[in-house]
Amino acid sequence: MQLRFHRSNWQPLNQSDDYSFGPAQTAYANWTKVTATVGGVPVWGTAPAGNDPTPTPTPTDPTTPPPTGAALFDDFDYTGHTDPAIGAHGWSVRSNAGGPGVPGATWAPENVTFAKEGTNSIMNLRTSTAGTGESTKHTEVLTKATKFKNGTYAARVRFSDAPVSGPDGDRVVQTFFTINDLKAPMADDYAEYDFEYLPNGGWGEPANILYTTSWETYRPDPGRPSTSTPSPGPATPAGTTSS
C-alpha cells in the first residue's frame, strides 16, 4: 500500500515545524516523538502538548429523527446485460464510444455477465484485446443520474490479477468509483472517489498497485488536479469499469 500527501499547489512540504520531524533521523531508529498506544493507553513516546483527549460527552437521544434520504441496494440478480430490470434500477451498461481507455477501442455490453456463487449473485465485467486499439473491448456499468450527495457507500468488488486466457502482462486498469458531473473547470461542487487497481503496474509503477484517490475538483485542460490523495491516472465517468 502506498499513501502520498501533497500541497494543493504541488510545492515542497516544509517539515521543520512538524512536531515529529527529526532532521538528524536519517536511518531507522527509536524516536520518542512518534507515539504508540495500546487500547488507548500510551506505551511509547511523548505526545505534543495539548494532545490529551477531551472527555467524551454523555450521549443524548436526538430530539428529531434523522431525515430519510435516497437509498440504493442491489444484489445484481439479473439474467444478462439486456435484462430490463437493470435500467429500471438506474444502471446503464455502456455501449457508446469515447474515453477513458485505449484510443479506438469499443465498449462491449455483452461482456457484462451475471452468475451465481451459492446464494449470491455476481456481476462480471470482462475486457479483451488482441494488442490493438480496434481489437480492444472495454466494459463499464454506471448510473447516469446524480442520486446521492452525502451518505455511506459500500460495495464488494474483486479485482483480478490474471487473465482468463491468453498471455499476461497487459497494463490493465480495473476501477470502482463514485463521481458527479464537472460543471465547469475547477468547480467547487465536484467530487470523485476512486479505487483503481493495476495488476501489472502502469502510471510509473512497475508492479501491481491499488490507487485510492479522492478528487476535490480538476481542470480538464491543461490538467490541473486538486486532490487529497493523488493518483497519476485520469478522471473517469461514474460506475464500475474494467479497461
Side-chain angles (χ1 to χ4, degrees), residues 2-96:
Q2 295 185 358
L3 183 63
R4 180 170 44 176
F5 297 92
H6 67 85
R7 296 174 58 181
S8 60
N9 59 3
W10 296 91
Q11 294 301 307
L13 295 172
N14 179 14
Q15 302 182 75
S16 61
D17 58 352
D18 296 342
Y19 172 78
S20 62
F21 178 64
Q25 300 291 109
T26 58
Y28 288 111
N30 293 333
W31 183 235
T32 59
K33 288 191 174 182
V34 176
T35 61
T37 61
V38 177
V41 179
V43 297
W44 172 264
T46 303
N51 196 50
D52 294 333
T54 56
T56 303
T58 303
T60 58
D61 295 331
T63 56
T64 57
T68 57
L72 169 68
F73 173 79
D74 202 326
D75 60 3
F76 295 103
D77 189 11
Y78 301 117
T79 58
H81 73 279
T82 59
D83 191 330
I86 296 177
H89 288 168
W91 297 105
S92 175
V93 181
R94 182 173 177 177
S95 60
N96 60 292

Side-chain angles (χ1 to χ4, degrees), residues 7-202:
R7 296 174 58 181
S8 60
N9 59 3
W10 296 91
Q11 294 301 307
L13 295 172
N14 179 14
Q15 302 182 75
S16 61
D17 58 352
D18 296 342
Y19 172 78
S20 62
F21 178 64
Q25 300 291 109
T26 58
Y28 288 111
N30 293 333
W31 183 235
T32 59
K33 288 191 174 182
V34 176
T35 61
T37 61
V38 177
V41 179
V43 297
W44 172 264
T46 303
N51 196 50
D52 294 333
T54 56
T56 303
T58 303
T60 58
D61 295 331
T63 56
T64 57
T68 57
L72 169 68
F73 173 79
D74 202 326
D75 60 3
F76 295 103
D77 189 11
Y78 301 117
T79 58
H81 73 279
T82 59
D83 191 330
I86 296 177
H89 288 168
W91 297 105
S92 175
V93 181
R94 182 173 177 177
S95 60
N96 60 292
V102 177
T106 57
W107 296 84
E110 67 275 10
N111 286 352
V112 177
T113 58
F114 302 89
K116 285 285 189 179
E117 185 178 83
T119 59
N120 295 320
S121 300
I122 300 173
M123 178 174 64
N124 294 305
L125 281 72
R126 181 172 178 174
T127 292
S128 63
T129 185
T132 65
E134 291 71 19
S135 67
T136 301
K137 294 184 178 181
H138 298 319
T139 52
E140 181 176 17
V141 175
L142 66 155
T143 59
K144 293 186 176 180
T146 301
K147 296 187 174 186
F148 312 105
K149 184 175 181 181
N150 299 314
T152 300
Y153 300 84
R156 186 170 65 175
V157 181
R158 181 180 183 274
F159 297 132
S160 177
D161 276 308
V164 175
S165 61
D168 199 354
D170 287 327
R171 292 291 173 86
V172 179
V173 180
Q174 304 172 55
T175 177
F176 172 81
F177 51 92
T178 59
I179 193 174
N180 65 288
D181 292 334
L182 182 71
K183 298 176 182 177
M186 305 300 289
D188 58 7
D189 61 349
Y190 177 82
E192 179 181 345
Y193 303 93
D194 300 334
F195 296 86
E196 296 165 305
Y197 182 60
L198 284 63
N200 293 310

